[in-house]
Amino acid sequence: MSLIVIIVIAVVVVLMVCAVTARVVMRRRELQERFGPEYDRTVEAQDSRRAGEHELREREERHDALNIKPLSAPVRDRYAQDWARVQERFVDRPDDAVHDADRLVTTLMSERGYPTEDYEQQLKDLSVEHGNTLEHYRAAHEVNERSSHHQATTEELRGAMVHYRALFDELLHNGDRPGSSAA
């Protein structure tokens, strides 16, 4: 009789370990899908996968506490018109257009409910819903910074406009990507 009890206990322990492992794997997959390339970037920046995943869960909690709201159709139209004006300025004043694009994206973030005081925190907050587009924002921001010191080429500025547009479109359409993007 004691052999049967030992076998039952062993089976229960094995099943519990399998259940915990399955839960961890499912949660990891959910984080990878939600954060896209930002998952790998965050995990690599931490001491361990567990620490990276903990950071991503903290980002989700912070994001859930924000009051992120969709835009009404008239507000979306106004932003779309503002973007068109920024793009038109690019031909004659590419540096100014990139700076304007940065300001417009930041204003749009704020209108949606994202805090905009700190660039690094912006990245973390945006990563929860816009992880696949975040690298565009980083690239555009870097060119915008270099442009402030007159260290960006016209081609880099054009690329920055395309990068800003990728995040702009997602924010404008409440996270649903339309199908456009060139500057």
Side-chain angles (χ1 to χ4, degrees):
M1 187 105 149
S2 63
L3 182 61
I4 293 175
V5 171
I6 292 172
I7 292 172
V8 168
I9 290 173
V11 168
V12 168
V13 168
V14 168
L15 289 174
M16 288 175 55
V17 168
C18 288
V20 168
T21 301
R23 185 176 181 280
V24 168
V25 168
M26 286 177 54
R27 182 62 178 144
R28 180 169 293 149
R29 189 170 295 137
E30 288 171 3
L31 288 171
Q32 288 170 331
E33 288 175 9
R34 181 164 200 182
F35 286 91
E38 192 64 15
Y39 174 89
D40 292 329
R41 181 185 199 96
T42 303
V43 167
E44 287 173 14
Q46 297 296 320
D47 296 332
S48 68
R49 180 179 298 273
R50 173 179 252 156
E53 290 177 352
H54 178 72
E55 161 139 350
L56 294 172
R57 285 190 296 276
E58 286 180 344
R59 290 182 190 186
E60 286 178 321
E61 289 174 15
R62 176 181 159 82
H63 183 273
D64 290 347
L66 298 174
N67 184 23
I68 306 299
K69 53 193 173 290
L71 300 174
S72 65
V75 171
R76 277 196 316 270
D77 291 344
R78 185 187 82 227
Y79 275 103
Q81 291 168 2
D82 290 346
W83 182 264
R85 282 191 288 279
V86 168
Q87 281 190 165
E88 288 171 8
R89 268 187 240 134
F90 185 83
V91 173
D92 296 323
R93 305 197 69 184
D95 285 309
D96 292 341
V98 168
H99 298 314
D100 290 346
D102 181 72
R103 281 190 291 276
L104 185 59
V105 167
T106 301
T107 302
L108 178 54
M109 279 187 243
S110 179
E111 179 117 15
R112 291 284 316 276
Y114 288 98
T116 58
E117 310 80 48
D118 175 42
Y119 172 70
E120 290 302 320
Q121 189 60 55
Q122 284 177 5
L123 293 173
K124 290 176 182 178
D125 292 339
L126 288 168
S127 72
V128 177
E129 287 187 4
H130 305 283
N132 289 316
T133 311
L134 210 50
E135 202 53 42
H136 287 286
Y137 185 49
R138 279 189 180 96
H141 183 77
E142 188 268 329
V143 171
N144 185 45
E145 290 292 309
R146 288 190 308 107
S147 172
S148 296
H149 305 301
H150 306 290
Q151 298 173 342
T153 67
T154 302
E155 187 58 29
E156 289 171 325
L157 294 168
R158 189 194 71 70
M161 292 294 290
V162 172
H163 289 309
Y164 275 127
R165 179 66 184 255
L167 179 59
F168 179 84
D169 282 343
E170 274 196 13
L171 290 167
L172 187 66
H173 297 286
N174 307 319
D176 301 326
R177 292 238 13 175
S180 66
S181 78

